[in-house]
Amino acid sequence: MAKHGRRTHERVQTQPAVFHPSNTVPMLGHVMVGPSIPSAPIPASPTSSINTVEATSYHQSHSQTLTFGGQGTRPGKFQFPSSVTVSDQGEIIVADRWNKRIQVFTLQGTFVHQFPTVVPGGGQAMEPSDVAIDGQGNLWVVGEAEQAEFAVQYTKQGRAVTKIDLQKTGKVRGVAVDSRRNHILMTQTTGDWDNLHGEVMVFRPDGTLVRIVGKKNALASLVLRQQRMKHPWYITVDGEGNVYVSDCGNPCIHGYSGDGQFLFQFGGSGECQLQGPMGVCTDRAGNIIVVNSRNSRVEMFDKTGRFLKHITTEMTQPCAVATATQGQLVVTDLRDHTIHVM
């Protein structure tokens, strides 16, 4: 794969797309409401170069959804925006997977800066699959380099602080931070495509392994086998320390307590059936928001997994999702390589 030239921390003078939701836009929990997982393994990233700075493109729909981005290599563009998170300061942080970088924007879609996802110690470029923020405002990014997989901690300005070496699996990972316990949680999938097994690895920031949730056990009962994760990707931790994992191989959402005890799973049938569940997050009320990728939906469940309602059904291939402190919902779209703020 050709090496990409990059500019780090480039700033773009853009005109923010300011939108003003009307008083008639309803609130679900704390999420402002506007009006698939790929069926095959993720293809190899295209070879391209990051060119000169380009202003972020955006448009504002009549349903009070702000959309910005589009496919490309220039700042403000994306190639497979695989993950998104939002800081307490309202910064949208996007893992731009095939461009091997993190990009940062305001909630109005204005480009702020970018940095390459380089692994400390060797300078390898890493394709990021997920990003999360810890209690100190640092970023944890999981991804794959040419011959290895890592979790790397960066400052928000892009300086690599430390890394955790991970097992080479060749499959995407998710990452979340339990700020109450100061733990870093990562999903891991092993095995071939006909016999996948998923786990959640729980680490301290120094790389010490605390526990493995869902560890494979040949003697496990049939009930436990039915509850097991098959191909987990995204993961989130709510305000009470509970953990939710989207399993695109099962497909369902698994819920665990903060100490790794299985609580429940949902999404297998009925109106709330999940097909290709991907991004997952929670709002301030504890509701669970899930990207139902193959159905092109973003849906809301309560903290017990009971279906509440469809948030949006108007995206082509939604992928990752995050909530902002002011109630906005931020969703990435893989087909259009865009970010939607609702």
Side-chain angles (χ1 to χ4, degrees), residues 103 114 168 234 281 298:
Q103 296 198 70
Q114 67 174 19
K168 175 70 173 177
Y234 294 97
C281 68
V298 179

Side-chain angles (χ1 to χ4, degrees), residues 239-253:
E240 299 176 356
N242 297 313
V243 178
Y244 304 102
V245 184
S246 66
D247 188 346
C248 51
N250 221 1
C252 65
I253 301 296

Side-chain angles (χ1 to χ4, degrees), residues 37-341:
I37 184 172
S39 57
I42 296 171
S45 58
T47 301
S48 57
S49 61
I50 296 176
N51 302 312
T52 56
V53 176
E54 179 178 284
T56 301
S57 65
Y58 55 84
H59 73 267
Q60 183 180 347
S61 74
H62 295 295
S63 59
Q64 305 300 333
T65 297
L66 168 72
T67 300
F68 64 93
Q71 186 170 15
T73 59
R74 297 177 179 178
K77 300 292 185 179
F78 307 100
Q79 296 205 92
F80 205 95
S82 60
S83 176
V84 64
T85 189
V86 183
S87 72
D88 290 341
Q89 293 72 40
E91 301 160 308
I92 298 175
I93 301 163
V94 182
D96 188 3
R97 183 174 172 84
W98 288 343
N99 284 327
K100 299 181 181 179
R101 65 186 177 187
I102 298 294
Q103 296 198 70
V104 182
F105 302 83
T106 69
L107 279 169
Q108 291 74 40
T110 302
F111 175 85
V112 177
H113 70 90
Q114 67 174 19
F115 62 87
T117 46
V118 174
V119 180
Q124 301 177 71
M126 179 177 73
E127 289 188 348
S129 59
D130 201 5
V131 58
I133 303 177
D134 67 18
Q136 289 71 49
N138 296 311
L139 305 180
W140 281 92
V141 180
V142 289
E144 181 179 7
E146 187 173 352
Q147 298 295 331
E149 296 172 19
F150 303 94
V152 181
Q153 184 189 41
Y154 300 93
T155 65
K156 283 198 292 188
Q157 291 71 39
R159 179 176 62 86
V161 177
T162 188
K163 68 180 174 73
I164 300 174
D165 295 288
L166 303 172
Q167 178 182 346
K168 175 70 173 177
T169 65
K171 299 174 181 66
V172 290
R173 295 176 182 268
V175 62
V177 176
D178 183 347
S179 297
R180 294 158 58 110
R181 297 174 174 85
N182 197 25
H183 288 166
I184 315 301
L185 292 77
M186 288 167 258
T187 57
Q188 176 171 284
T189 303
T190 55
D192 56 40
W193 290 101
D194 295 325
N195 186 29
L196 296 174
H197 177 78
E199 301 170 331
V200 174
M201 317 290 289
V202 182
F203 294 90
R204 295 191 180 95
D206 63 3
T208 303
L209 181 64
V210 178
R211 72 176 67 90
I212 301 175
V213 179
K215 188 173 182 179
K216 192 171 184 178
N217 184 352
L219 299 178
S221 67
L222 176 61
V223 172
L224 291 178
R225 288 198 297 271
Q226 290 172 340
Q227 294 172 355
R228 73 180 178 89
M229 291 174 280
K230 188 174 182 181
H231 189 189
W233 182 349
Y234 294 97
I235 181 171
T236 193
V237 181
D238 70 11
E240 299 176 356
N242 297 313
V243 178
Y244 304 102
V245 184
S246 66
D247 188 346
C248 51
N250 221 1
C252 65
I253 301 296
H254 303 271
Y256 299 91
S257 66
D259 58 3
Q261 298 300 308
F262 177 82
L263 298 176
F264 58 84
Q265 66 184 38
F266 65 88
S269 62
E271 185 182 13
C272 62
Q273 182 175 9
L274 297 176
Q275 297 186 28
M278 295 186 71
V280 59
C281 68
T282 59
D283 66 12
R284 291 182 184 177
N287 296 313
I288 305 166
I289 300 162
V290 181
V291 172
N292 197 358
S293 185
R294 287 181 184 164
N295 283 340
S296 299
R297 297 173 180 171
V298 179
E299 300 178 317
M300 178 181 283
F301 302 81
D302 70 14
K303 62 179 63 179
T304 68
R306 182 176 63 90
F307 175 73
L308 296 178
K309 58 182 65 191
H310 305 298
I311 294 176
T312 179
T313 60
E314 297 183 353
M315 300 179 66
T316 54
Q317 193 175 356
C319 176
V321 62
T323 51
T325 55
Q326 296 178 351
Q328 298 95 330
L329 191 69
V330 184
V331 186
T332 72
D333 193 312
L334 296 186
R335 184 168 299 173
D336 297 335
H337 304 271
T338 51
I339 309 298
H340 300 258
V341 183

Side-chain angles (χ1 to χ4, degrees), residues 18-30:
V18 180
F19 63 100
H20 303 283
S22 69
N23 293 331
T24 60
V25 177
M27 287 284 289
L28 299 181
H30 289 265

